[in-house]
């Protein structure tokens, strides 16, 4: 049978949407996800395009398997020239948006140009249209999710959107779906913001069918059997990625206080097992996934209230807002996670930049203009998240990422950064994990 891909070309400058079919020979060479997204970007982007200018090209792509009921297959890649690195930016998300995007009839969506006014794309069962989004601009992610579902009269639509951080072109802004799932890395949310594209909303009934149903059912059965004999899957579901924190700490590889240490004395207080015993409200999942590793927390402590709609902190988030900043308060870190999801930004780059700023200030290299940044001060982390998202005060500098910010301060500040191509490393110490 022929294997072709449907690509929606959205010209935001002209306000037009066209569809093309990718030939089988191209689709077999670049079969979805990162491969297809990078191919489409490189076919359309002009040399020297400004990552935050109208010439940049943003692609959202899924794979031929997306939408099939296979655990772990609901993934969508967002790709464009990264405003953080200047190179190709690639970022994946989970949740239900990827499967729904495929059900709606799209294998990829390619955005070019820049809308004169904020818009969102509404794609449903093969029909696509751009709609005004000025009334949504400036709204946080949970409010936009609620408003769009009301506006479209369907609580089951899936929404990939930006928050105020993307609108303000924070260079590590994320694209959020389900309010708590993120295309987090490489600043794809800032690209959406620069294009005045507030959201992409999808809904579809055309669920993909396997070419060989019997063989597919056999595969699913084998996967289920493997899951039942693998105790690690159950453990991962019970404690989530946050369960890794104590293991990393025990091995001396838990990034702490801007990578100056490999263990954190309050590690057990913020580990996944403690989270599961205290503030965990429920376990959430992605489409067709049996693991249910997503955390949903609820905190009612005055000043640290966390709405469960924003999910709960993952390992990387607990590390970067936690041990990297010397903060061991689990409720506060859950609030930091929720705030980052509310404003729509990558918790890795955000936390790493804040940790760098804490060390730079301690060494007399940075004036934080009253933000009060200091290792161990969790409230200053919350203040910094808001300042970055709104580009307020020193947050305007930190919104550029740690390397760009440090470059304005001089070589001594640059020496405190840990980045590759200008992007902050994930929560693993290179001297401990040589594969990095």
């Amino acid at each position: 049978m022929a294997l072709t891909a449907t690509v929606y070309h959205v010209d935001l400058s002209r306000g037009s949407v066209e569809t093309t079919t990718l030939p089988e020979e191209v689709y077999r060479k670049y079969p979805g996800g990162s491969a297809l997204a990078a191919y489409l970007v490189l076919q359309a982007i002009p040399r020297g395009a400004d990552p935050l200018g109208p010439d940049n090209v943003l692609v959202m792509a899924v794979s031929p398997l997306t939408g099939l009921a296979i655990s772990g297959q609901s993934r969508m890649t967002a790709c464009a020239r990264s405003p953080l690195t200047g190179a190709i930016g690639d970022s994946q998300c989970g949740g239900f948006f990827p499967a729904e995007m495929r059900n709606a009839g799209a294998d990829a969506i390619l955005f070019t140009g820049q809308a004169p006014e904020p818009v969102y794309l509404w794609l449903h069962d093969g029909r696509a249209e751009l709609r005004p989004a000025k009334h949504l601009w400036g709204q946080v992610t949970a409010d936009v999710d609620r408003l769009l579902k009301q506006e479209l009269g369907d609580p089951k639509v899936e929404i990939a959107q930006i928050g105020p951080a993307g609108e303000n072109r924070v260079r590590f802004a994320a694209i959020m779906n389900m309010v708590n799932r993120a295309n987090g890395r490489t600043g794809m949310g800032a690209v959406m913001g620069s294009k005045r594209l507030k959201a992409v909303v999808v809904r579809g009934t055309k669920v993909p069918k396997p070419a060989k149903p019997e063989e597919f059912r056999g595969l699913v059965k084998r996967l289920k059997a493997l899951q039942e004999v693998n105790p690690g899957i159950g453990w991962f579901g019970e404690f989530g990625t946050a369960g890794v924190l104590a293991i990393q700490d025990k091995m001396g590889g838990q990034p702490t206080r801007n990578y100056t240490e490999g263990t954190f004395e309050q590690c057990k207080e913020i580990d996944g097992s403690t989270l599961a015993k205290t503030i965990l409200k429920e376990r959430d999942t992605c489409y067709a996934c049996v693991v249910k590793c997503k955390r949903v927390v609820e905190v009612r402590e005055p000043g640290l209230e966390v709405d469960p709609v924003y999910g709960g902190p993952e390992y990387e988030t607990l590390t970067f807002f936690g041990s990297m900043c010397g903060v061991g308060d689990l409720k506060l870190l859950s609030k930091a996670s929720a705030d980052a999801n509310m404003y729509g930004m990558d918790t890795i780059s955000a936390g790493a930049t804040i940790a760098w700023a804490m060390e730079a200030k301690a060494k007399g290299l940075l004036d934080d203009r009253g933000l009060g940044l200091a290792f161990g001060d969790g409230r200053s982390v919350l203040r910094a998240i808001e300042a970055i998202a709104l580009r307020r005060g020193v947050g305007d500098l930190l919104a550029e990422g740690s390397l760009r910010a440090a470059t304005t301060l001089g070589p001594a500040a640059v020496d405190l950064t840990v980045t590759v191509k200008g992007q902050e490393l994930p929560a693993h110490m290179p001297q401990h994990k040589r594969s990095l």
Side-chain angles (χ1 to χ4, degrees), residues 64-398:
L65 297 180
T66 307
L68 294 176
I70 303 175
S71 189
Q73 285 298 312
S74 186
R75 308 291 293 175
M76 182 270 283
T77 293
C79 184
R81 188 172 190 193
S82 168
L84 191 61
T85 69
I88 285 290
D90 177 292
S91 185
Q92 291 90 43
C93 72
F96 286 74
F97 180 91
E100 198 68 30
M101 175 176 156
R102 188 83 190 288
N103 295 349
D107 294 289
I109 309 171
L110 185 151
F111 297 94
T112 58
Q114 181 185 67
E117 297 281 349
V119 295
Y120 71 89
L121 179 71
W122 170 222
L123 172 63
H124 50 113
D125 274 337
R127 299 186 300 275
E129 60 179 298
L130 288 168
R131 292 189 169 192
K134 200 170 182 179
H135 61 299
L136 303 172
W137 205 254
Q139 302 280 354
V140 297
T141 54
D143 290 344
V144 170
D145 193 83
R146 174 178 51 81
L147 289 168
L148 280 173
K149 287 174 179 176
Q150 289 176 355
E151 185 172 315
L152 295 168
D154 188 347
K156 293 186 177 181
V157 298
E158 290 296 331
I159 302 162
Q161 58 160 311
I162 57 170
E167 297 172 2
N168 293 322
R169 304 183 190 188
V170 173
R171 288 186 185 267
F172 43 83
I175 302 172
M176 307 297 301
N177 78 82
M178 296 180 69
V179 181
N180 55 57
R181 311 294 209 275
N183 293 90
R185 311 239 63 201
T186 70
M188 296 297 97
V191 176
M192 277 184 68
S194 72
K195 293 184 173 299
R196 299 191 184 97
L197 176 63
K198 180 63 174 176
V200 178
V201 188
V202 293
R203 185 78 167 100
T205 57
K206 299 172 183 176
V207 180
K209 307 293 184 187
K212 299 180 179 180
E214 285 300 321
E215 286 89 336
F216 178 73
R217 278 192 286 271
L219 170 65
V220 173
K221 286 181 180 178
R222 289 198 300 277
L223 290 174
K224 186 177 181 181
L226 289 170
Q227 175 208 350
E228 290 172 350
V229 299
N230 185 346
I233 293 178
W235 180 93
F236 193 61
E238 185 177 357
F239 300 115
T241 59
V244 177
L245 207 145
I247 298 171
Q248 290 278 92
D249 189 75
K250 188 175 182 180
M251 295 189 295
Q254 180 61 30
T256 300
R257 296 180 184 88
N258 199 30
Y259 290 103
T260 60
E261 302 169 59
T263 59
F264 182 46
E265 64 277 8
Q266 292 177 275
C267 171
K268 193 60 184 172
E269 297 172 36
I270 62 173
D271 177 57
S273 59
T274 301
L275 189 155
K277 295 172 186 173
T278 54
I279 61 174
L280 184 68
K281 178 180 173 67
E282 60 181 291
R283 289 163 51 185
D284 200 2
T285 190
C286 299
Y287 174 78
C289 186
V290 298
V291 181
K292 297 184 72 173
C293 72
K294 290 294 295 181
R295 310 291 89 180
V296 178
V297 304
E298 185 172 30
V299 178
R300 297 181 178 178
E301 186 172 315
L304 296 178
E305 295 91 348
V306 175
D307 187 335
V309 71
Y310 288 114
E314 302 282 341
Y315 164 71
E316 303 273 357
T317 305
L318 289 168
T319 295
F320 280 105
F321 291 144
S323 60
M324 277 282 281
C325 293
V327 177
D329 184 335
L330 184 58
K331 291 181 179 179
L332 187 142
L333 296 178
S334 295
K335 170 68 172 170
S337 173
D339 285 358
N341 288 344
M342 178 177 72
Y343 290 120
M345 60 181 160
D346 178 30
T347 59
I348 296 175
S349 281
T353 299
I354 293 168
W356 162 81
M358 287 177 170
E359 186 174 5
K361 183 193 175 186
K363 293 182 181 296
L365 302 172
L366 172 70
D367 176 7
D368 72 358
R369 304 187 214 173
L371 205 55
L373 292 173
F375 286 124
D377 186 343
R379 296 283 177 170
S380 74
V381 172
L382 298 180
R383 292 193 293 271
I385 291 170
E386 182 179 44
I388 290 169
L390 303 180
R391 281 190 174 267
R392 189 180 61 208
V394 78
D396 189 40
L397 176 67
L398 302 184

